Amino acid sequence: MACGAAREGKSDTAALELLPSAPRKMNESKTGGSQNPTCVFCRKNDDCPIKYGEKKTNEKWNLTVHYYCLLMSSGIWQRGKEEEGVYGFLIEDIRKEVTRASKLKCCICKKTGASIGCVTPRCKRSYHFPCGLQRECIFQFTGNFASFCWNHRPVQIITSNNYRDSLPCTICLEFIEPIPTYSILRSPCCKNAWFHRDCLQVQAINAGVFFFRCTICNNSDIFQKEMLRMGIHIPEKDASWELEENAYQELLQHYEHCDVRRCRCKEGRDYNVPDSKWEIKRCQCCGSRGTHLACSSLQSWEENWECLECRGILYNSGDFQKAKKHTLPNTNVGITDCLLEESSPKLPRQSPGAQREDLLRQGSKFRRDISTLIIELGFQIKKKAKRLFINKANIWNSALDGFRNQNFNPSYTIEIAYVNENDHFGKEQPGSKQEFLSLLMQQLENSPLFEGSLSKNLSLNSQALKENLYYEAGKMLAISLVHGGPSPGFFSKTLFNCLVYGPESTQPILDDVSDFDVAQIIIRINTAATVADLNSLINEYYNYLELIGCLRLITSLSDKYMLAKDILVYHVIKRVQAPFERW
């Protein structure tokens, strides 16, 4: 049936006797060539499928109609099958409707042929479909295909309008006033989603009933029901992009590139040899990242592997423990390598307890505290020594260069040799590992990776993220702990709890906020004496609260504590989520 639910009525075969006795051969098609016939209902020759629906001509009976003009006419029903007549509307029924409409005058253009009437009782307005569009009438392409004039059309009711600024249409991104009108519609499922009517109609035509949904939350049922009520036509067809020939050919191409930070293949990252250690394995979650088996210590192609991005998503979603766990490969790579190096991406990021169980010896099924874990890892250090050449005048950069060297292995004993870059003879002086690690921790404490005066938390530094310095800092910390260096005594209790128990189990405090302006906002919210004062503060900081996602409806004064808590959690934990994951 046309449009999923078209007009139905009783069959009337006797009406066929009204038709000419010797019809020509049926050939139903779009109007083409030099011919440009007019629609028998609206008497316009426009061919605009988005506004008036498809324009069709039945050459057998020399009859042309716009689909929407036919569908919305008040006195006609679909009595035939889809292939009969025009879209299932019988020819004799169309002619009867044209005759009926010829006696009705359009209240807009004052011409006859007004086949569409307002369904509101006692409303006598009739009009052509194009005239109704021009006068902002509503046509509902569902149910009984009702039509409403400009005085009786359905409207969207919003209880309160707190929008002080223009908002973008979520389809074309052009700014609009967030006030529901005929031309501006609001999503029923997302309060901040506003659309141009024309943008919605074009998207509905392209997406069809199977893909037309809210652009923000992806809801289809509630969204489509409201859009149909407000006169958006949603055709019962597949999406236009699904009908393009060879539209998804690029999806048949396999991703063949090694994306790990340190690719060990001498032939390059695109080198791929099946059934060898240089075969490229794709991420089991997204398929858009890859690794050589050898670069990630995978023993066979059957082993699962997740890229860093997908591992972060799994970790944050709380479903991480549901991922399949893997035993440590039987290779010459020690446990310390798996802990400190990126070269084992198949080990998923897990909660602290599960991570300890995987990193300790196979067969260990009970939890151990952090000191025990560090001692166990210390026993893994091999006697083979690896020398680091450190410039005392530039501890941080020389340590970075040494740890990033592809020959560096954290499971080997570390030897320190101090060098002076101004010494042209290249003399080396033996140094103390303890001294080097102590100096390194001091550099780490005073680096821009942390913020705060005494007790420090992670900071958000875009340049450090770009250079992957949070990962390197985490490696330095792990090396210092496992190799007997000093512990980072500058950590705040909140940062320590995030590391040990996970961010989701940690509640920050006001002392963790180093930004004076943010701290003042939290203090003012906590000390609000009345609901009116609290709402006044929310209005004052509206843009900031909206930006960080902490806007909430205030119903009582006690809501201030939850609001302050949300701001704390965002600023101390959620804001630095990316640095924490790299670290």
Side-chain angles (χ1 to χ4, degrees):
M1 291 192 298
C3 198
R7 308 169 185 276
E8 298 179 351
K10 295 183 179 179
S11 175
D12 188 5
T13 55
L16 293 174
E17 299 174 0
L18 300 175
L19 304 177
S21 56
R24 300 191 300 273
K25 182 180 179 181
M26 172 73 76
N27 182 15
E28 185 179 306
S29 64
K30 290 184 179 180
T31 304
S34 60
Q35 297 178 346
N36 195 10
T38 60
C39 171
V40 295
F41 288 105
C42 69
R43 301 171 188 174
K44 290 182 179 291
N45 58 9
D46 303 46
D47 190 1
C48 183
I50 293 179
K51 290 181 66 176
Y52 308 132
E54 187 178 15
K55 183 180 177 182
K56 274 209 171 183
T57 296
N58 188 308
E59 295 183 357
K60 177 180 178 181
W61 305 110
N62 191 26
L63 184 146
T64 300
V65 295
H66 290 124
Y67 179 45
Y68 293 169
C69 295
L70 175 62
L71 200 61
M72 300 309 302
S73 294
S74 302
I76 191 171
W77 288 265
Q78 186 188 46
R79 298 192 302 127
K81 296 180 180 178
E82 189 72 25
E83 64 273 8
E84 295 184 80
V86 181
Y87 297 111
F89 293 89
L90 302 181
I91 299 298
E92 64 270 22
D93 290 344
I94 296 176
R95 289 187 168 181
K96 287 180 181 179
E97 179 64 6
V98 173
T99 302
R100 183 190 72 85
S102 66
K103 303 174 184 178
L104 300 174
K105 182 179 291 187
C106 175
C107 64
I108 300 172
C109 70
K110 308 304 179 182
K111 297 179 181 180
T112 58
S115 62
I116 305 173
C118 178
V119 299
T120 304
R122 298 185 180 180
C123 182
K124 303 301 182 182
R125 291 189 177 95
S126 296
Y127 33 83
H128 303 103
F129 184 83
C131 295
L133 286 182
Q134 182 182 358
R135 196 63 174 81
E136 298 184 348
C137 299
I138 291 289
F139 304 95
Q140 294 181 343
F141 296 88
T142 184
N144 292 325
F145 295 84
S147 170
F148 299 88
C149 69
W150 55 92
N151 280 343
H152 302 118
R153 69 190 182 201
V155 296
Q156 289 186 312
I157 300 176
I158 298 179
T159 55
S160 62
N161 189 357
N162 296 324
Y163 303 99
R164 295 170 291 183
D165 301 321
S166 298
L167 294 176
C169 166
T170 59
I171 297 177
C172 72
L173 301 182
E174 180 180 315
F175 279 90
I176 56 180
E177 291 298 322
I179 300 174
T181 62
Y182 175 81
S183 302
I184 305 298
L185 299 178
R186 181 191 183 189
S187 172
C189 39
C190 294
K191 65 179 182 179
N192 291 326
W194 294 80
F195 313 90
H196 291 109
R197 173 182 289 272
D198 293 342
C199 293
L200 274 174
Q201 187 58 78
V202 171
Q203 178 150 319
I205 294 295
N206 289 328
V209 69
F210 304 110
F211 292 92
F212 184 57
R213 56 196 63 188
C214 177
T215 55
I216 302 298
C217 69
N218 230 22
N219 179 281
S220 59
D221 295 336
I222 299 175
F223 184 76
Q224 287 191 16
K225 184 177 179 180
E226 174 67 4
M227 294 304 110
L228 287 170
R229 185 181 77 89
M230 295 306 297
I232 300 299
H233 177 223
I234 309 173
E236 188 173 325
K237 68 178 185 67
D238 211 344
S240 58
W241 57 82
E242 294 286 343
L243 303 177
E244 296 179 17
E245 187 176 358
N246 299 326
Y248 301 100
Q249 282 298 308
E250 66 274 8
L251 297 182
L252 301 179
Q253 301 176 4
H254 291 173
Y255 186 83
E256 295 183 350
H257 184 79
C258 181
D259 295 296
V260 298
R261 188 170 59 87
R262 292 178 180 173
C263 178
R264 300 176 179 177
C265 182
K266 296 181 179 180
E267 302 295 330
R269 292 181 177 271
D270 296 325
Y271 187 66
N272 182 29
V273 179
D275 301 324
S276 74
K277 67 178 181 178
W278 301 123
E279 181 176 7
I280 291 180
K281 168 75 175 178
R282 291 179 294 278
C283 172
Q284 64 171 343
C285 297
C286 67
S288 60
R289 292 290 184 270
T291 176
H292 290 115
L293 299 184
C295 295
S296 292
S297 302
L298 297 175
Q299 294 299 294
S300 68
W301 197 86
E302 286 75 18
E303 289 188 57
N304 292 330
W305 176 78
E306 304 91 12
C307 64
L308 289 175
E309 290 83 357
C310 292
R311 248 188 296 164
I313 294 172
L314 289 172
Y315 173 73
N316 293 326
S317 67
D319 297 332
F320 203 75
Q321 288 179 312
K322 298 178 182 178
K324 182 178 179 181
K325 298 180 180 179
H326 312 283
T327 57
L328 294 174
N330 185 19
T331 65
N332 59 355
V333 181
I335 290 182
T336 317
D337 290 273
C338 300
L339 176 65
L340 303 179
E341 289 288 346
E342 187 187 11
S343 59
S344 184
K346 69 179 186 301
L347 284 174
R349 179 172 271 162
Q350 302 171 342
S351 63
Q355 192 176 41
R356 294 189 202 109
E357 292 176 1
D358 282 344
L359 292 176
L360 294 179
R361 297 190 188 105
Q362 300 178 25
S364 173
K365 297 181 179 180
F366 57 92
R367 291 188 176 184
R368 304 190 181 191
D369 59 24
I370 299 175
S371 60
T372 305
L373 173 63
I374 294 175
I375 293 173
E376 290 280 350
L377 290 173
F379 289 144
Q380 310 289 331
I381 296 176
K382 304 183 175 91
K383 293 182 179 180
K384 183 177 180 180
K386 174 62 181 177
R387 178 170 294 186
L388 290 179
F389 298 94
I390 303 298
N391 179 7
K392 263 193 175 183
N394 197 347
I395 293 285
W396 176 264
N397 286 331
S398 55
L400 274 179
D401 293 338
F403 292 154
R404 285 174 170 173
N405 190 300
Q406 61 180 358
N407 294 323
F408 176 75
N409 190 330
S411 63
Y412 292 163
T413 300
I414 295 177
E415 287 184 357
I416 302 299
Y418 288 122
V419 294
N420 189 341
E421 59 183 12
N422 296 323
D423 184 359
H424 301 291
F425 297 96
K427 294 182 179 179
E428 302 175 8
Q429 296 180 356
S432 166
K433 179 179 68 175
Q434 291 294 119
E435 180 188 22
F436 160 68
L437 293 176
S438 297
L439 293 174
L440 183 60
M441 289 300 102
Q442 292 177 16
Q443 292 282 330
L444 193 61
E445 179 180 359
N446 298 318
S447 71
L449 305 181
F450 295 89
E451 60 185 18
S453 54
L454 297 177
S455 297
K456 294 182 178 291
N457 289 291
L458 282 176
S459 66
L460 181 59
N461 188 306
S462 59
Q463 186 63 28
L465 275 174
K466 184 178 180 180
E467 297 176 4
N468 206 22
L469 293 183
Y470 289 99
Y471 170 81
E472 299 295 343
K475 184 195 293 186
M476 292 176 183
L477 172 61
I479 289 174
S480 178
L481 292 174
V482 174
H483 286 264
S487 61
F490 56 90
F491 280 10
S492 70
K493 184 177 180 181
T494 298
L495 181 55
F496 179 81
N497 289 338
C498 284
L499 283 171
V500 178
Y501 305 111
E504 66 281 353
S505 302
T506 303
Q507 178 57 49
I509 59 176
L510 185 60
D511 291 341
D512 294 319
V513 180
S514 60
D515 189 307
F516 177 81
D517 293 332
V518 176
Q520 287 299 308
I521 293 175
I522 297 173
I523 292 173
R524 292 186 66 186
I525 290 175
N526 274 328
T527 56
T530 64
V531 174
D533 292 340
L534 188 56
N535 282 320
S536 177
L537 289 171
I538 291 178
N539 288 332
E540 182 178 350
Y541 301 116
Y542 182 91
N543 292 333
Y544 172 73
L545 295 176
E546 184 181 38
L547 178 66
I548 66 176
C550 290
L551 274 179
R552 60 169 48 246
L553 179 64
I554 301 299
T555 58
S556 65
L557 188 58
S558 60
D559 290 340
K560 67 180 183 180
Y561 301 113
M562 188 58 66
L563 178 58
K565 178 181 177 182
D566 290 346
I567 300 174
L568 268 174
V569 171
Y570 169 80
H571 187 81
V572 180
I573 296 179
K574 292 184 178 180
R575 183 177 63 95
V576 295
Q577 180 178 344
F580 186 82
E581 290 175 357
R582 299 284 184 89
W583 193 41

